[in-house]
Amino acid sequence: SQQGEEDPQALSIQEGENATMNCSYKTSINNLQWYRQNSGRGLVHLILIRSNEREKHSGRLRVTLDTSKKSSSLLITASRAADTASYFCATDVAGNMLTFGGGTRLMVKP
Amino acid sequence: DSGVTQTPKHLITATGQRVTLRCSPRSGDLSVYWYQQSLDQGLQFLIQYYNGEERAKGNILERFSAQQFPDLHSELNLSSLELGDSALYFCASRPPRGANTEAFFGQGTRLTVV
């Protein structure tokens, strides 16, 4: 079974709106990472948040981590049509493998 | 460009056949991970190698095997292929500086079993 589960599975918004995706996981982690995948392409790393961090920013991205609830959220502000992609969270448990969730498919309409 | 190279990009083969997928990690990266992504699904972890040795194993079928060579490139061998093995297969590598590092993904090999 997946360690991480994203919610929602699909999200459709208008350009300029904010997009929020959530990720829940099951076990204690070293860090949680968010990746983006354009259709059928390789995954691209967006941001990494360590287990002792609560919030992190990178450009229009904001990630939060709540280890007590075993959950994380990714906020994309002022979305653009080019943000259309699938977004995955991945948990790093022991510095070895990254376990991915099922992803959120984001569509940003121009 | 992530620096991770996967070949071939596309592969079409018949059921029962065997194929080999190849991955070259980023220069300096010792870890190689293999993932399978079926249509519209998440990534399923298959196996990880670190500096030539198997480090972690996921839900990898017995029909599948992998290895990492002294030059650190890796191969994933898929045998007795079934229609359900059709998927994108990704390789990723990570820097050797320990935990809290990101993974760099190749562009994947799209396998179609007919």
PDB file of all heavy atoms in Angstrom, chain A residues 2 30-31 33 35 37 41-43 45 48 50 88 92 96-98 100-101, chain B residues 33 35 37 42 44-45 48 55 90 94 100-103 105-107 110:
ATOM      1  N   GLN A   2       0.304   2.364  -0.444  1.00  0.00           N
ATOM      2  CA  GLN A   2       1.040   3.595  -0.532  1.00  0.00           C
ATOM      3  C   GLN A   2       1.280   4.154   0.856  1.00  0.00           C
ATOM      4  O   GLN A   2       0.408   4.140   1.702  1.00  0.00           O
ATOM      5  CB  GLN A   2       0.258   4.614  -1.370  1.00  0.00           C
ATOM      6  CG  GLN A   2      -0.069   4.159  -2.778  1.00  0.00           C
ATOM      7  CD  GLN A   2       1.113   4.334  -3.711  1.00  0.00           C
ATOM      8  OE1 GLN A   2       2.240   4.442  -3.289  1.00  0.00           O
ATOM      9  NE2 GLN A   2       0.850   4.329  -5.000  1.00  0.00           N
ATOM     10  N   ASN A  30      11.721  10.945   7.836  1.00  0.00           N
ATOM     11  CA  ASN A  30      12.859  11.868   7.871  1.00  0.00           C
ATOM     12  C   ASN A  30      12.493  13.180   7.211  1.00  0.00           C
ATOM     13  O   ASN A  30      12.828  14.256   7.700  1.00  0.00           O
ATOM     14  CB  ASN A  30      14.060  11.283   7.132  1.00  0.00           C
ATOM     15  CG  ASN A  30      14.825  10.286   7.968  1.00  0.00           C
ATOM     16  OD1 ASN A  30      14.652  10.220   9.174  1.00  0.00           O
ATOM     17  ND2 ASN A  30      15.660   9.505   7.316  1.00  0.00           N
ATOM     18  N   ASN A  31      11.847  13.073   6.073  1.00  0.00           N
ATOM     19  CA  ASN A  31      11.434  14.260   5.343  1.00  0.00           C
ATOM     20  C   ASN A  31      10.293  13.890   4.409  1.00  0.00           C
ATOM     21  O   ASN A  31      10.006  12.700   4.186  1.00  0.00           O
ATOM     22  CB  ASN A  31      12.595  14.874   4.556  1.00  0.00           C
ATOM     23  CG  ASN A  31      13.122  13.963   3.468  1.00  0.00           C
ATOM     24  OD1 ASN A  31      12.489  13.751   2.434  1.00  0.00           O
ATOM     25  ND2 ASN A  31      14.303  13.383   3.701  1.00  0.00           N
ATOM     26  N   GLN A  33       8.715  15.087   0.550  1.00  0.00           N
ATOM     27  CA  GLN A  33       9.077  15.815  -0.660  1.00  0.00           C
ATOM     28  C   GLN A  33       7.881  15.902  -1.591  1.00  0.00           C
ATOM     29  O   GLN A  33       7.035  15.014  -1.621  1.00  0.00           O
ATOM     30  CB  GLN A  33      10.245  15.105  -1.356  1.00  0.00           C
ATOM     31  CG  GLN A  33      11.439  14.889  -0.450  1.00  0.00           C
ATOM     32  CD  GLN A  33      12.622  14.253  -1.143  1.00  0.00           C
ATOM     33  OE1 GLN A  33      12.800  14.367  -2.351  1.00  0.00           O
ATOM     34  NE2 GLN A  33      13.467  13.580  -0.374  1.00  0.00           N
ATOM     35  N   TYR A  35       6.821  16.442  -5.678  1.00  0.00           N
ATOM     36  CA  TYR A  35       7.317  16.350  -7.043  1.00  0.00           C
ATOM     37  C   TYR A  35       6.192  16.702  -8.006  1.00  0.00           C
ATOM     38  O   TYR A  35       5.010  16.522  -7.697  1.00  0.00           O
ATOM     39  CB  TYR A  35       7.803  14.922  -7.358  1.00  0.00           C
ATOM     40  CG  TYR A  35       9.085  14.553  -6.675  1.00  0.00           C
ATOM     41  CD1 TYR A  35       9.092  14.161  -5.342  1.00  0.00           C
ATOM     42  CD2 TYR A  35      10.301  14.593  -7.358  1.00  0.00           C
ATOM     43  CE1 TYR A  35      10.269  13.825  -4.701  1.00  0.00           C
ATOM     44  CE2 TYR A  35      11.486  14.251  -6.729  1.00  0.00           C
ATOM     45  CZ  TYR A  35      11.457  13.874  -5.402  1.00  0.00           C
ATOM     46  OH  TYR A  35      12.636  13.542  -4.779  1.00  0.00           O
ATOM     47  N   GLN A  37       4.892  16.128 -12.119  1.00  0.00           N
ATOM     48  CA  GLN A  37       5.056  15.315 -13.312  1.00  0.00           C
ATOM     49  C   GLN A  37       4.155  15.843 -14.405  1.00  0.00           C
ATOM     50  O   GLN A  37       2.932  15.828 -14.261  1.00  0.00           O
ATOM     51  CB  GLN A  37       4.720  13.839 -13.041  1.00  0.00           C
ATOM     52  CG  GLN A  37       4.945  12.944 -14.258  1.00  0.00           C
ATOM     53  CD  GLN A  37       4.535  11.507 -14.005  1.00  0.00           C
ATOM     54  OE1 GLN A  37       3.585  11.236 -13.283  1.00  0.00           O
ATOM     55  NE2 GLN A  37       5.255  10.557 -14.602  1.00  0.00           N
ATOM     56  N   ARG A  41       5.911  12.282 -18.416  1.00  0.00           N
ATOM     57  CA  ARG A  41       7.323  12.638 -18.325  1.00  0.00           C
ATOM     58  C   ARG A  41       7.902  12.249 -16.969  1.00  0.00           C
ATOM     59  O   ARG A  41       7.198  11.746 -16.097  1.00  0.00           O
ATOM     60  CB  ARG A  41       7.490  14.153 -18.539  1.00  0.00           C
ATOM     61  CG  ARG A  41       6.870  14.691 -19.815  1.00  0.00           C
ATOM     62  CD  ARG A  41       7.538  14.115 -21.039  1.00  0.00           C
ATOM     63  NE  ARG A  41       8.935  14.450 -21.126  1.00  0.00           N
ATOM     64  CZ  ARG A  41       9.416  15.581 -21.620  1.00  0.00           C
ATOM     65  NH1 ARG A  41       8.589  16.504 -22.056  1.00  0.00           N
ATOM     66  NH2 ARG A  41      10.707  15.794 -21.686  1.00  0.00           N
ATOM     67  N   GLY A  42       9.186  12.505 -16.803  1.00  0.00           N
ATOM     68  CA  GLY A  42       9.819  12.205 -15.520  1.00  0.00           C
ATOM     69  C   GLY A  42       9.392  13.179 -14.441  1.00  0.00           C
ATOM     70  O   GLY A  42       8.866  14.256 -14.718  1.00  0.00           O
ATOM     71  N   LEU A  43       9.590  12.781 -13.209  1.00  0.00           N
ATOM     72  CA  LEU A  43       9.215  13.634 -12.082  1.00  0.00           C
ATOM     73  C   LEU A  43      10.302  14.663 -11.817  1.00  0.00           C
ATOM     74  O   LEU A  43      11.490  14.370 -11.941  1.00  0.00           O
ATOM     75  CB  LEU A  43       9.003  12.784 -10.824  1.00  0.00           C
ATOM     76  CG  LEU A  43       7.637  12.121 -10.713  1.00  0.00           C
ATOM     77  CD1 LEU A  43       7.541  10.931 -11.640  1.00  0.00           C
ATOM     78  CD2 LEU A  43       7.376  11.706  -9.271  1.00  0.00           C
ATOM     79  N   HIS A  45      11.646  17.402  -8.903  1.00  0.00           N
ATOM     80  CA  HIS A  45      11.574  17.756  -7.500  1.00  0.00           C
ATOM     81  C   HIS A  45      11.174  19.216  -7.336  1.00  0.00           C
ATOM     82  O   HIS A  45      11.689  20.101  -8.031  1.00  0.00           O
ATOM     83  CB  HIS A  45      12.930  17.515  -6.845  1.00  0.00           C
ATOM     84  CG  HIS A  45      12.972  17.835  -5.398  1.00  0.00           C
ATOM     85  ND1 HIS A  45      13.426  19.037  -4.908  1.00  0.00           N
ATOM     86  CD2 HIS A  45      12.593  17.112  -4.326  1.00  0.00           C
ATOM     87  CE1 HIS A  45      13.340  19.028  -3.608  1.00  0.00           C
ATOM     88  NE2 HIS A  45      12.840  17.873  -3.221  1.00  0.00           N
ATOM     89  N   LEU A  48      11.529  20.062  -0.523  1.00  0.00           N
ATOM     90  CA  LEU A  48      11.747  19.070   0.528  1.00  0.00           C
ATOM     91  C   LEU A  48      11.552  19.748   1.864  1.00  0.00           C
ATOM     92  O   LEU A  48      12.089  20.847   2.093  1.00  0.00           O
ATOM     93  CB  LEU A  48      13.165  18.493   0.403  1.00  0.00           C
ATOM     94  CG  LEU A  48      13.614  17.414   1.392  1.00  0.00           C
ATOM     95  CD1 LEU A  48      14.716  16.556   0.763  1.00  0.00           C
ATOM     96  CD2 LEU A  48      14.127  18.003   2.703  1.00  0.00           C
ATOM     97  N   ARG A  50      11.867  18.944   6.004  1.00  0.00           N
ATOM     98  CA  ARG A  50      12.377  17.976   6.968  1.00  0.00           C
ATOM     99  C   ARG A  50      11.362  17.784   8.092  1.00  0.00           C
ATOM    100  O   ARG A  50      10.499  18.620   8.330  1.00  0.00           O
ATOM    101  CB  ARG A  50      13.709  18.451   7.544  1.00  0.00           C
ATOM    102  CG  ARG A  50      14.761  18.646   6.485  1.00  0.00           C
ATOM    103  CD  ARG A  50      16.077  19.040   7.084  1.00  0.00           C
ATOM    104  NE  ARG A  50      17.065  19.310   6.047  1.00  0.00           N
ATOM    105  CZ  ARG A  50      18.375  19.220   6.225  1.00  0.00           C
ATOM    106  NH1 ARG A  50      18.864  18.853   7.398  1.00  0.00           N
ATOM    107  NH2 ARG A  50      19.194  19.502   5.232  1.00  0.00           N
ATOM    108  N   PHE A  88       2.908  14.926  -6.756  1.00  0.00           N
ATOM    109  CA  PHE A  88       3.046  13.775  -5.876  1.00  0.00           C
ATOM    110  C   PHE A  88       3.798  14.162  -4.611  1.00  0.00           C
ATOM    111  O   PHE A  88       4.789  14.911  -4.675  1.00  0.00           O
ATOM    112  CB  PHE A  88       3.842  12.662  -6.568  1.00  0.00           C
ATOM    113  CG  PHE A  88       3.170  12.047  -7.756  1.00  0.00           C
ATOM    114  CD1 PHE A  88       3.340  12.588  -9.020  1.00  0.00           C
ATOM    115  CD2 PHE A  88       2.368  10.932  -7.609  1.00  0.00           C
ATOM    116  CE1 PHE A  88       2.727  12.027 -10.126  1.00  0.00           C
ATOM    117  CE2 PHE A  88       1.750  10.353  -8.710  1.00  0.00           C
ATOM    118  CZ  PHE A  88       1.931  10.906  -9.965  1.00  0.00           C
ATOM    119  N   ASP A  92      10.230  10.015   2.917  1.00  0.00           N
ATOM    120  CA  ASP A  92      11.549   9.404   3.102  1.00  0.00           C
ATOM    121  C   ASP A  92      11.604   8.935   4.543  1.00  0.00           C
ATOM    122  O   ASP A  92      11.630   9.741   5.458  1.00  0.00           O
ATOM    123  CB  ASP A  92      12.618  10.453   2.802  1.00  0.00           C
ATOM    124  CG  ASP A  92      14.020   9.903   2.902  1.00  0.00           C
ATOM    125  OD1 ASP A  92      14.226   8.878   3.577  1.00  0.00           O
ATOM    126  OD2 ASP A  92      14.923  10.498   2.313  1.00  0.00           O
ATOM    127  N   ASN A  96      16.477   5.948   2.704  1.00  0.00           N
ATOM    128  CA  ASN A  96      16.620   5.025   1.592  1.00  0.00           C
ATOM    129  C   ASN A  96      15.564   5.332   0.540  1.00  0.00           C
ATOM    130  O   ASN A  96      15.650   6.287  -0.184  1.00  0.00           O
ATOM    131  CB  ASN A  96      16.528   3.588   2.079  1.00  0.00           C
ATOM    132  CG  ASN A  96      17.744   3.190   2.858  1.00  0.00           C
ATOM    133  OD1 ASN A  96      18.834   3.678   2.619  1.00  0.00           O
ATOM    134  ND2 ASN A  96      17.572   2.319   3.818  1.00  0.00           N
ATOM    135  N   MET A  97      14.546   4.512   0.498  1.00  0.00           N
ATOM    136  CA  MET A  97      13.609   4.691  -0.596  1.00  0.00           C
ATOM    137  C   MET A  97      12.637   5.832  -0.316  1.00  0.00           C
ATOM    138  O   MET A  97      12.347   6.165   0.823  1.00  0.00           O
ATOM    139  CB  MET A  97      12.824   3.407  -0.824  1.00  0.00           C
ATOM    140  CG  MET A  97      11.924   3.004   0.303  1.00  0.00           C
ATOM    141  SD  MET A  97      11.101   1.439  -0.082  1.00  0.00           S
ATOM    142  CE  MET A  97       9.936   1.340   1.251  1.00  0.00           C
ATOM    143  N   LEU A  98      12.165   6.413  -1.387  1.00  0.00           N
ATOM    144  CA  LEU A  98      11.088   7.387  -1.344  1.00  0.00           C
ATOM    145  C   LEU A  98       9.813   6.668  -1.724  1.00  0.00           C
ATOM    146  O   LEU A  98       9.755   6.004  -2.758  1.00  0.00           O
ATOM    147  CB  LEU A  98      11.344   8.509  -2.344  1.00  0.00           C
ATOM    148  CG  LEU A  98      12.394   9.551  -1.962  1.00  0.00           C
ATOM    149  CD1 LEU A  98      12.628  10.494  -3.136  1.00  0.00           C
ATOM    150  CD2 LEU A  98      11.980  10.325  -0.732  1.00  0.00           C
ATOM    151  N   PHE A 100       5.940   7.041  -2.769  1.00  0.00           N
ATOM    152  CA  PHE A 100       5.070   8.043  -3.373  1.00  0.00           C
ATOM    153  C   PHE A 100       3.603   7.747  -3.141  1.00  0.00           C
ATOM    154  O   PHE A 100       3.183   6.589  -3.059  1.00  0.00           O
ATOM    155  CB  PHE A 100       5.323   8.109  -4.885  1.00  0.00           C
ATOM    156  CG  PHE A 100       6.601   8.797  -5.241  1.00  0.00           C
ATOM    157  CD1 PHE A 100       7.809   8.118  -5.171  1.00  0.00           C
ATOM    158  CD2 PHE A 100       6.609  10.117  -5.627  1.00  0.00           C
ATOM    159  CE1 PHE A 100       9.001   8.745  -5.490  1.00  0.00           C
ATOM    160  CE2 PHE A 100       7.788  10.757  -5.959  1.00  0.00           C
ATOM    161  CZ  PHE A 100       8.989  10.070  -5.880  1.00  0.00           C
ATOM    162  N   GLY A 101       2.818   8.818  -3.095  1.00  0.00           N
ATOM    163  CA  GLY A 101       1.379   8.692  -3.080  1.00  0.00           C
ATOM    164  C   GLY A 101       0.836   8.575  -4.494  1.00  0.00           C
ATOM    165  O   GLY A 101       1.590   8.543  -5.460  1.00  0.00           O
TER     166      GLY A 101
ATOM    167  N   TYR B  33      17.250   4.032  -7.986  1.00  0.00           N
ATOM    168  CA  TYR B  33      15.933   3.522  -7.620  1.00  0.00           C
ATOM    169  C   TYR B  33      15.174   3.201  -8.900  1.00  0.00           C
ATOM    170  O   TYR B  33      15.255   3.945  -9.874  1.00  0.00           O
ATOM    171  CB  TYR B  33      15.124   4.581  -6.857  1.00  0.00           C
ATOM    172  CG  TYR B  33      15.758   5.078  -5.583  1.00  0.00           C
ATOM    173  CD1 TYR B  33      16.823   5.972  -5.620  1.00  0.00           C
ATOM    174  CD2 TYR B  33      15.279   4.674  -4.342  1.00  0.00           C
ATOM    175  CE1 TYR B  33      17.404   6.441  -4.445  1.00  0.00           C
ATOM    176  CE2 TYR B  33      15.850   5.140  -3.166  1.00  0.00           C
ATOM    177  CZ  TYR B  33      16.905   6.018  -3.233  1.00  0.00           C
ATOM    178  OH  TYR B  33      17.476   6.488  -2.076  1.00  0.00           O
ATOM    179  N   TYR B  35      11.201   2.542 -10.303  1.00  0.00           N
ATOM    180  CA  TYR B  35       9.784   2.678 -10.009  1.00  0.00           C
ATOM    181  C   TYR B  35       8.969   2.263 -11.233  1.00  0.00           C
ATOM    182  O   TYR B  35       9.404   2.421 -12.365  1.00  0.00           O
ATOM    183  CB  TYR B  35       9.425   4.131  -9.677  1.00  0.00           C
ATOM    184  CG  TYR B  35       9.948   4.621  -8.357  1.00  0.00           C
ATOM    185  CD1 TYR B  35      11.209   5.197  -8.255  1.00  0.00           C
ATOM    186  CD2 TYR B  35       9.165   4.538  -7.204  1.00  0.00           C
ATOM    187  CE1 TYR B  35      11.688   5.662  -7.045  1.00  0.00           C
ATOM    188  CE2 TYR B  35       9.640   5.001  -5.985  1.00  0.00           C
ATOM    189  CZ  TYR B  35      10.898   5.562  -5.919  1.00  0.00           C
ATOM    190  OH  TYR B  35      11.362   6.021  -4.705  1.00  0.00           O
ATOM    191  N   GLN B  37       5.184   2.898 -12.973  1.00  0.00           N
ATOM    192  CA  GLN B  37       3.975   3.732 -12.962  1.00  0.00           C
ATOM    193  C   GLN B  37       3.023   3.226 -14.031  1.00  0.00           C
ATOM    194  O   GLN B  37       3.261   3.399 -15.228  1.00  0.00           O
ATOM    195  CB  GLN B  37       4.314   5.199 -13.209  1.00  0.00           C
ATOM    196  CG  GLN B  37       3.099   6.117 -13.088  1.00  0.00           C
ATOM    197  CD  GLN B  37       3.436   7.577 -13.314  1.00  0.00           C
ATOM    198  OE1 GLN B  37       4.283   7.908 -14.143  1.00  0.00           O
ATOM    199  NE2 GLN B  37       2.793   8.469 -12.572  1.00  0.00           N
ATOM    200  N   GLY B  42      -0.014   6.087  -9.259  1.00  0.00           N
ATOM    201  CA  GLY B  42       1.169   6.593  -8.591  1.00  0.00           C
ATOM    202  C   GLY B  42       2.374   5.736  -8.921  1.00  0.00           C
ATOM    203  O   GLY B  42       2.295   4.798  -9.715  1.00  0.00           O
ATOM    204  N   GLN B  44       5.068   3.018  -8.022  1.00  0.00           N
ATOM    205  CA  GLN B  44       5.310   1.879  -7.150  1.00  0.00           C
ATOM    206  C   GLN B  44       6.813   1.633  -7.082  1.00  0.00           C
ATOM    207  O   GLN B  44       7.454   1.422  -8.112  1.00  0.00           O
ATOM    208  CB  GLN B  44       4.606   0.636  -7.686  1.00  0.00           C
ATOM    209  CG  GLN B  44       3.094   0.719  -7.671  1.00  0.00           C
ATOM    210  CD  GLN B  44       2.508   0.632  -6.277  1.00  0.00           C
ATOM    211  OE1 GLN B  44       3.136   0.085  -5.360  1.00  0.00           O
ATOM    212  NE2 GLN B  44       1.324   1.186  -6.093  1.00  0.00           N
ATOM    213  N   PHE B  45       7.338   1.636  -5.872  1.00  0.00           N
ATOM    214  CA  PHE B  45       8.767   1.393  -5.696  1.00  0.00           C
ATOM    215  C   PHE B  45       9.076  -0.070  -5.976  1.00  0.00           C
ATOM    216  O   PHE B  45       8.408  -0.971  -5.455  1.00  0.00           O
ATOM    217  CB  PHE B  45       9.168   1.766  -4.267  1.00  0.00           C
ATOM    218  CG  PHE B  45      10.556   1.344  -3.881  1.00  0.00           C
ATOM    219  CD1 PHE B  45      11.660   1.961  -4.432  1.00  0.00           C
ATOM    220  CD2 PHE B  45      10.752   0.323  -2.970  1.00  0.00           C
ATOM    221  CE1 PHE B  45      12.947   1.571  -4.087  1.00  0.00           C
ATOM    222  CE2 PHE B  45      12.025  -0.079  -2.605  1.00  0.00           C
ATOM    223  CZ  PHE B  45      13.124   0.551  -3.162  1.00  0.00           C
ATOM    224  N   GLN B  48      15.983  -0.658  -4.892  1.00  0.00           N
ATOM    225  CA  GLN B  48      17.029   0.348  -4.781  1.00  0.00           C
ATOM    226  C   GLN B  48      18.389  -0.332  -4.693  1.00  0.00           C
ATOM    227  O   GLN B  48      18.539  -1.340  -4.005  1.00  0.00           O
ATOM    228  CB  GLN B  48      16.839   1.206  -3.528  1.00  0.00           C
ATOM    229  CG  GLN B  48      17.958   2.239  -3.334  1.00  0.00           C
ATOM    230  CD  GLN B  48      18.176   2.661  -1.892  1.00  0.00           C
ATOM    231  OE1 GLN B  48      17.461   2.233  -0.996  1.00  0.00           O
ATOM    232  NE2 GLN B  48      19.159   3.513  -1.661  1.00  0.00           N
ATOM    233  N   ARG B  55      19.806  -2.345  -1.718  1.00  0.00           N
ATOM    234  CA  ARG B  55      19.615  -1.670  -0.430  1.00  0.00           C
ATOM    235  C   ARG B  55      18.188  -1.837   0.087  1.00  0.00           C
ATOM    236  O   ARG B  55      17.968  -1.960   1.293  1.00  0.00           O
ATOM    237  CB  ARG B  55      19.935  -0.185  -0.578  1.00  0.00           C
ATOM    238  CG  ARG B  55      19.715   0.672   0.652  1.00  0.00           C
ATOM    239  CD  ARG B  55      20.630   0.314   1.810  1.00  0.00           C
ATOM    240  NE  ARG B  55      22.010   0.611   1.556  1.00  0.00           N
ATOM    241  CZ  ARG B  55      22.600   1.768   1.873  1.00  0.00           C
ATOM    242  NH1 ARG B  55      21.899   2.738   2.392  1.00  0.00           N
ATOM    243  NH2 ARG B  55      23.883   1.939   1.652  1.00  0.00           N
ATOM    244  N   PHE B  90      10.504   4.123 -14.309  1.00  0.00           N
ATOM    245  CA  PHE B  90      11.396   5.238 -14.029  1.00  0.00           C
ATOM    246  C   PHE B  90      12.578   4.793 -13.196  1.00  0.00           C
ATOM    247  O   PHE B  90      12.465   3.953 -12.306  1.00  0.00           O
ATOM    248  CB  PHE B  90      10.665   6.346 -13.259  1.00  0.00           C
ATOM    249  CG  PHE B  90       9.685   7.122 -14.074  1.00  0.00           C
ATOM    250  CD1 PHE B  90       8.326   6.911 -13.929  1.00  0.00           C
ATOM    251  CD2 PHE B  90      10.122   8.075 -14.981  1.00  0.00           C
ATOM    252  CE1 PHE B  90       7.410   7.629 -14.682  1.00  0.00           C
ATOM    253  CE2 PHE B  90       9.218   8.796 -15.734  1.00  0.00           C
ATOM    254  CZ  PHE B  90       7.861   8.570 -15.586  1.00  0.00           C
ATOM    255  N   ARG B  94      20.053   9.532  -6.348  1.00  0.00           N
ATOM    256  CA  ARG B  94      20.147  10.502  -5.264  1.00  0.00           C
ATOM    257  C   ARG B  94      21.602  10.709  -4.909  1.00  0.00           C
ATOM    258  O   ARG B  94      22.417   9.778  -4.994  1.00  0.00           O
ATOM    259  CB  ARG B  94      19.400  10.018  -4.017  1.00  0.00           C
ATOM    260  CG  ARG B  94      17.917   9.986  -4.162  1.00  0.00           C
ATOM    261  CD  ARG B  94      17.252   9.421  -2.930  1.00  0.00           C
ATOM    262  NE  ARG B  94      17.026  10.436  -1.896  1.00  0.00           N
ATOM    263  CZ  ARG B  94      16.327  10.210  -0.802  1.00  0.00           C
ATOM    264  NH1 ARG B  94      15.841   9.026  -0.566  1.00  0.00           N
ATOM    265  NH2 ARG B  94      16.140  11.169   0.094  1.00  0.00           N
ATOM    266  N   ASN B 100      17.807  13.357   3.596  1.00  0.00           N
ATOM    267  CA  ASN B 100      17.348  14.699   3.245  1.00  0.00           C
ATOM    268  C   ASN B 100      17.914  15.190   1.923  1.00  0.00           C
ATOM    269  O   ASN B 100      18.373  16.336   1.798  1.00  0.00           O
ATOM    270  CB  ASN B 100      17.665  15.700   4.365  1.00  0.00           C
ATOM    271  CG  ASN B 100      16.909  15.352   5.641  1.00  0.00           C
ATOM    272  OD1 ASN B 100      15.712  15.054   5.600  1.00  0.00           O
ATOM    273  ND2 ASN B 100      17.609  15.368   6.757  1.00  0.00           N
ATOM    274  N   THR B 101      17.899  14.315   0.951  1.00  0.00           N
ATOM    275  CA  THR B 101      18.299  14.698  -0.403  1.00  0.00           C
ATOM    276  C   THR B 101      17.145  14.405  -1.360  1.00  0.00           C
ATOM    277  O   THR B 101      16.332  13.518  -1.127  1.00  0.00           O
ATOM    278  CB  THR B 101      19.535  13.928  -0.876  1.00  0.00           C
ATOM    279  OG1 THR B 101      19.255  12.521  -0.830  1.00  0.00           O
ATOM    280  CG2 THR B 101      20.733  14.223   0.000  1.00  0.00           C
ATOM    281  N   GLU B 102      17.122  15.161  -2.430  1.00  0.00           N
ATOM    282  CA  GLU B 102      16.078  14.956  -3.422  1.00  0.00           C
ATOM    283  C   GLU B 102      16.502  13.865  -4.390  1.00  0.00           C
ATOM    284  O   GLU B 102      17.681  13.510  -4.475  1.00  0.00           O
ATOM    285  CB  GLU B 102      15.822  16.240  -4.193  1.00  0.00           C
ATOM    286  CG  GLU B 102      17.018  16.668  -5.043  1.00  0.00           C
ATOM    287  CD  GLU B 102      16.884  18.072  -5.547  1.00  0.00           C
ATOM    288  OE1 GLU B 102      17.235  18.995  -4.787  1.00  0.00           O
ATOM    289  OE2 GLU B 102      16.458  18.235  -6.698  1.00  0.00           O
ATOM    290  N   ALA B 103      15.528  13.320  -5.098  1.00  0.00           N
ATOM    291  CA  ALA B 103      15.798  12.335  -6.134  1.00  0.00           C
ATOM    292  C   ALA B 103      15.693  12.999  -7.500  1.00  0.00           C
ATOM    293  O   ALA B 103      14.891  13.909  -7.705  1.00  0.00           O
ATOM    294  CB  ALA B 103      14.808  11.179  -6.045  1.00  0.00           C
ATOM    295  N   PHE B 105      15.014  12.184 -11.434  1.00  0.00           N
ATOM    296  CA  PHE B 105      14.384  11.148 -12.243  1.00  0.00           C
ATOM    297  C   PHE B 105      14.777  11.233 -13.705  1.00  0.00           C
ATOM    298  O   PHE B 105      14.938  12.332 -14.265  1.00  0.00           O
ATOM    299  CB  PHE B 105      12.856  11.265 -12.156  1.00  0.00           C
ATOM    300  CG  PHE B 105      12.282  10.661 -10.914  1.00  0.00           C
ATOM    301  CD1 PHE B 105      12.324  11.348  -9.718  1.00  0.00           C
ATOM    302  CD2 PHE B 105      11.703   9.396 -10.941  1.00  0.00           C
ATOM    303  CE1 PHE B 105      11.802  10.791  -8.559  1.00  0.00           C
ATOM    304  CE2 PHE B 105      11.184   8.829  -9.787  1.00  0.00           C
ATOM    305  CZ  PHE B 105      11.233   9.536  -8.605  1.00  0.00           C
ATOM    306  N   GLY B 106      14.910  10.061 -14.307  1.00  0.00           N
ATOM    307  CA  GLY B 106      15.035  10.009 -15.749  1.00  0.00           C
ATOM    308  C   GLY B 106      13.675  10.218 -16.401  1.00  0.00           C
ATOM    309  O   GLY B 106      12.653  10.330 -15.719  1.00  0.00           O
ATOM    310  N   GLN B 107      13.671  10.250 -17.724  1.00  0.00           N
ATOM    311  CA  GLN B 107      12.428  10.492 -18.466  1.00  0.00           C
ATOM    312  C   GLN B 107      11.592   9.234 -18.619  1.00  0.00           C
ATOM    313  O   GLN B 107      10.477   9.300 -19.130  1.00  0.00           O
ATOM    314  CB  GLN B 107      12.743  11.085 -19.836  1.00  0.00           C
ATOM    315  CG  GLN B 107      13.244  12.519 -19.763  1.00  0.00           C
ATOM    316  CD  GLN B 107      12.229  13.435 -19.106  1.00  0.00           C
ATOM    317  OE1 GLN B 107      11.083  13.537 -19.537  1.00  0.00           O
ATOM    318  NE2 GLN B 107      12.620  14.106 -18.038  1.00  0.00           N
ATOM    319  N   ARG B 110       8.828   3.754 -21.604  1.00  0.00           N
ATOM    320  CA  ARG B 110       7.425   3.337 -21.735  1.00  0.00           C
ATOM    321  C   ARG B 110       7.411   1.950 -22.354  1.00  0.00           C
ATOM    322  O   ARG B 110       7.787   1.775 -23.518  1.00  0.00           O
ATOM    323  CB  ARG B 110       6.634   4.309 -22.601  1.00  0.00           C
ATOM    324  CG  ARG B 110       5.151   3.927 -22.709  1.00  0.00           C
ATOM    325  CD  ARG B 110       4.363   4.965 -23.482  1.00  0.00           C
ATOM    326  NE  ARG B 110       4.309   6.245 -22.798  1.00  0.00           N
ATOM    327  CZ  ARG B 110       3.459   6.535 -21.822  1.00  0.00           C
ATOM    328  NH1 ARG B 110       2.589   5.627 -21.401  1.00  0.00           N
ATOM    329  NH2 ARG B 110       3.454   7.730 -21.276  1.00  0.00           N
TER     330      ARG B 110
END
